[in-house]
Amino acid sequence: MAKTEMIRARVEPELKYEVDGVLRKLGLSATEAITLFYKQIVMRGGLPFEVKIPNVDTVEALYQAQSGESLSEYATLKDLKSES
């Protein structure tokens, strides 16, 4: 079937650059990746990955990670495991 429909989307330049690099390593163009994504949506009857609204604990953890608040540092994996 001939490709006759066009999709336009605006994304952040850095995101596009990063995605183009990943797709290049996979040997895919953006058009091919979008086509795969659309076909997966049709096959699965929805998005091909889980999308959920984060709970309160997750939102707080994301905030702390982004702000650097309440983070702990460990010199080794052994130190981290002994903390648990």
Side-chain angles (χ1 to χ4, degrees):
M1 175 176 249
K3 294 180 181 177
T4 58
E5 293 294 325
M6 182 177 284
I7 299 169
R8 290 177 162 250
R10 293 192 180 276
V11 296
E12 297 162 355
E14 182 63 27
L15 176 61
K16 182 182 182 310
Y17 176 78
E18 290 180 33
V19 169
D20 286 346
V22 172
L23 293 177
R24 193 171 19 264
K25 289 178 185 175
L26 294 170
L28 293 171
S29 68
T31 297
E32 291 166 328
I34 292 168
T35 299
L36 284 170
F37 179 62
Y38 271 47
K39 286 184 178 188
Q40 285 293 309
I41 291 171
V42 170
M43 286 174 49
R44 295 169 185 258
L47 293 176
F49 46 82
E50 187 174 351
V51 177
K52 297 186 338 182
I53 297 171
N55 64 29
V56 174
D57 293 335
T58 302
V59 170
E60 178 64 22
L62 289 169
Y63 170 78
Q64 288 177 359
Q66 290 172 343
S67 68
E69 180 182 308
S70 302
L71 297 181
S72 301
E73 291 187 29
Y74 301 92
T76 67
L77 179 59
K78 184 178 179 180
D79 292 345
L80 170 65
K81 287 182 176 181
S82 70
E83 182 77 19
S84 304

